[in-house]
Every structure is written in structure tokens, then in C-alpha cells.
Amino acid sequence: QVYKGLDIITNKVSPQEQRLCRHHMISFVDPLVSNYTVVDFRDKAVALISFHAAAHIEDIFARDKIPIVVGGTNYYIESLLWKVLISTKEKASTAPGPVTDRKVELEQLDGVELHRRLSQVDPEMAAKLHPHDKRKVARSLQVFEETGIPHSEILHQQQEEEGGGPLGGPLKYPYSCILWLHADQAALDQRLEKRVDDMLAAGLLEELRDFHRRYNQEKVAENRQDYQHGIFQSIGFKEFHEYLVSEGNCSPETSALLLQKGIQALKQVTKRYARRQNKWVRNRFLRR
């Protein structure tokens, strides 16, 4: 009954939940696509909520349904609720294989050089960003290169719109309702540790081995693996790198130790991520 009459937009769902109501945005990007961004997610999800012209189907609202956006990642939810992102030029392709991504190209440069370039075209944004924060510096440079407008100027335009403010532009949908499930930190930590244990009991290691064999083993062998982009940066995979690459090539005792190291790392990074999520909700959602 909870699901009746709802459409769910999420990237985390069980087969049982999928049978209860219609779900969207699941299993539609190839794991080797590394240039899929929050802007791509926003554009696809907004089309589902409003109108999906390519498929000629009614939007969720027109079918008298309520779109429910489920976390996951609060940054992605924020991109749907508020006008906060900047679209640059269209990507040529999202197919597997080599693609030209200007931000990734820029990230290969020295951080000091990147920051120097940004200072020349957008001094205000350069003053806010540390030279070591190559991702954000590269993104600001990409925005300028692909729009011709300084990143800081576009952000000011968003903030000055009616309903905007220091955190960005106005709400896209006027009657949004945000539900936040809060727990005391000690209880949350305990539940997150149990969640990892439950994932292991449900077959996590088999899933990791399969993913490593299909998508990661060749990259590691050719020394071109990058755990900073695409799906490979996801929590729950890179923590088991040592275990996966050494399995079958070391003693059972060493393998068992590496497995426990991966499990403890997964528990720690999961709890750390939960703290960041709570901080995000307080600073980015509640403050609005």
C-alpha cells in the first residue's frame, strides 16, 4: 500500500520493490562509461517527471502519479529539486570506449597551472578554490571554455533569480516535500556495520568477483585503472582492490587478511559517508 500510485526514481532498489510499483533510472548506463555526470542524471530524470519526448509517453504528473526521488546521493537529489547545476555543451557520445571529456583532460594538468588559468578568466572563483582541488578548478575552467561565461557569473545569475539564495537558484517544483530519516549516530553506526555484514551474507563477494572479472581485471593488468572516475569510485568496490587482485595468487591466510581489511575499510568509509550525508542535509536542505 505504501507504493500504490507512486513512481520511484532511484538507483538503489531490490527486485521485490520493483515488482510493487514502477521504477525508473535503473541499469541504463554501461559500467565502462566514465563521463556520465550529475547533469546527465538530472536531464534524464527531469524528462521523466515532466515530459519524455523521445518515448512519447505521458509524464508522471499527467498520469496522476507522485514522483518519489529516493537516495542515495543527496547531491543528485538537490540537482532535481533546485536550479543549481550548469549545463555546458552536449557530449558527443555516452557509448563505451574513449571519449573526449574536457574536464578529465584538464585534470591531467598540474594543479598550480590549472589554478593560474582559472585566475586569468575567473578571479572570483579562483579565490574560492584551492589549487589542490583539481576537480573543482577543472570544472570551473570547463564551464568557462564551453559557455564563454565565467563560472562565478553563472552562479550569481542563478542566485539572483526569484527564490534563489546563497546556496543556488530557486526550487524547480514549488510543492516539494523532503523526508529525512534521522538516527542517533551510535545507532546509525551500528546499523551501517550490520548492513555491510548483511551485504556479505547476501553475496557481495560473488558480485565483486564478477564485476572485477568483467570490467576491472584487464584495466589493472594494463596499469590503467582509475578509481577516481565513473562507477569504479563507488563505495564498496575499490576497498577490495588488494583482495581481488591477489585472490588465487597468495596463501589462504593472506587472502583472508586482505578480505578482512576490505570489509573493515568498507565499514569505515560507509560510516564516514553517512556523516557527510547528514552534514549535507543540514547545510544544503534544512538551511533553505
Side-chain angles (χ1 to χ4, degrees):
Q1 290 301 313
V2 171
Y3 285 106
K4 188 175 181 181
L6 303 179
D7 274 56
I8 311 295
I9 297 175
T10 182
N11 63 345
K12 297 182 178 182
V13 63
S14 69
Q16 293 82 1
E17 289 170 325
Q18 289 189 58
R19 287 194 290 267
L20 291 173
C21 68
R22 185 173 179 177
H23 287 71
H24 305 270
M25 308 287 284
I26 299 171
S27 300
F28 67 97
V29 179
D30 187 282
L32 294 183
V33 171
S34 61
N35 65 329
Y36 191 86
T37 68
V38 65
V39 174
D40 298 312
F41 168 85
R42 178 206 61 188
D43 292 347
K44 184 173 178 64
V46 165
L48 289 167
I49 294 171
S50 55
F51 181 74
H52 201 316
H56 301 290
I57 63 173
E58 290 183 308
D59 63 29
I60 294 175
F61 286 131
R63 288 187 283 110
D64 200 26
K65 304 286 187 177
I66 301 173
I68 307 296
V69 183
V70 182
T73 308
N74 295 321
Y75 182 41
Y76 281 61
I77 296 175
E78 184 180 28
S79 77
L80 292 183
L81 293 180
W82 284 279
K83 187 175 179 180
V84 291
L85 295 180
I86 298 170
S87 298
T88 56
K89 69 181 180 182
E90 299 251 341
K91 291 185 176 67
S93 171
T94 56
V99 291
T100 301
D101 188 320
R102 184 56 179 155
K103 179 172 175 288
V104 173
E105 289 179 345
L106 288 167
E107 287 179 11
Q108 306 309 310
L109 300 177
D110 177 72
V112 174
E113 170 61 18
L114 275 178
H115 198 265
R116 184 189 66 79
R117 292 189 186 187
L118 183 61
S119 299
Q120 293 177 337
V121 298
D122 192 347
E124 180 179 344
M125 187 58 69
K128 294 178 180 178
L129 300 177
H130 195 282
H132 292 166
D133 196 346
K134 291 178 68 173
R135 280 195 171 191
K136 290 185 178 179
V137 174
R139 173 56 179 165
S140 289
L141 272 173
Q142 179 195 22
V143 168
F144 176 77
E145 289 183 4
E146 297 181 358
T147 67
I149 306 171
H151 193 177
S152 59
E153 183 177 331
I154 297 176
L155 293 177
H156 284 312
Q157 291 172 0
Q158 287 183 347
Q159 294 165 1
E160 290 169 2
E161 291 185 40
E162 184 178 356
L167 297 177
L171 279 168
K172 290 191 180 76
Y173 311 100
Y175 303 111
S176 302
C177 177
I178 302 176
L179 304 179
W180 178 34
L181 183 61
H182 176 75
D184 290 335
Q185 195 63 56
L188 181 59
D189 286 347
Q190 188 176 26
R191 290 171 185 170
L192 290 173
E193 294 218 3
K194 183 178 184 301
R195 177 173 179 260
V196 172
D197 293 334
D198 291 344
M199 289 166 63
L200 289 163
L204 175 62
L205 290 183
E206 289 73 16
E207 183 178 343
L208 289 172
R209 291 189 188 103
D210 179 64
F211 189 86
H212 178 67
R213 176 181 55 80
R214 294 169 63 188
Y215 301 109
N216 195 49
Q217 201 165 35
E218 185 177 341
K219 286 178 173 287
V220 172
E222 296 176 358
N223 196 32
R224 57 185 179 90
Q225 174 52 279
D226 178 7
Y227 288 107
Q228 301 301 316
H229 293 94
I231 196 171
F232 296 101
Q233 63 184 313
S234 302
I235 291 175
F237 181 69
K238 59 184 179 296
E239 288 75 20
F240 291 89
H241 171 82
E242 289 184 273
Y243 171 73
L244 291 169
V245 299
S246 66
E247 193 174 24
N249 299 315
C250 62
S251 68
E253 293 78 14
T254 299
S255 184
L257 287 173
L258 291 175
L259 174 59
Q260 286 304 313
K261 180 181 177 181
I263 292 172
Q264 292 307 313
L266 177 55
K267 290 181 176 181
Q268 288 300 320
V269 74
T270 300
K271 289 186 286 188
R272 196 178 308 129
Y273 182 61
R275 283 170 168 78
R276 288 205 304 270
Q277 283 186 314
N278 285 337
K279 184 178 179 180
W280 185 285
V281 169
R282 289 192 296 269
N283 292 341
R284 306 286 304 186
F285 291 177
L286 298 185
R287 277 180 58 192
R288 280 181 162 98

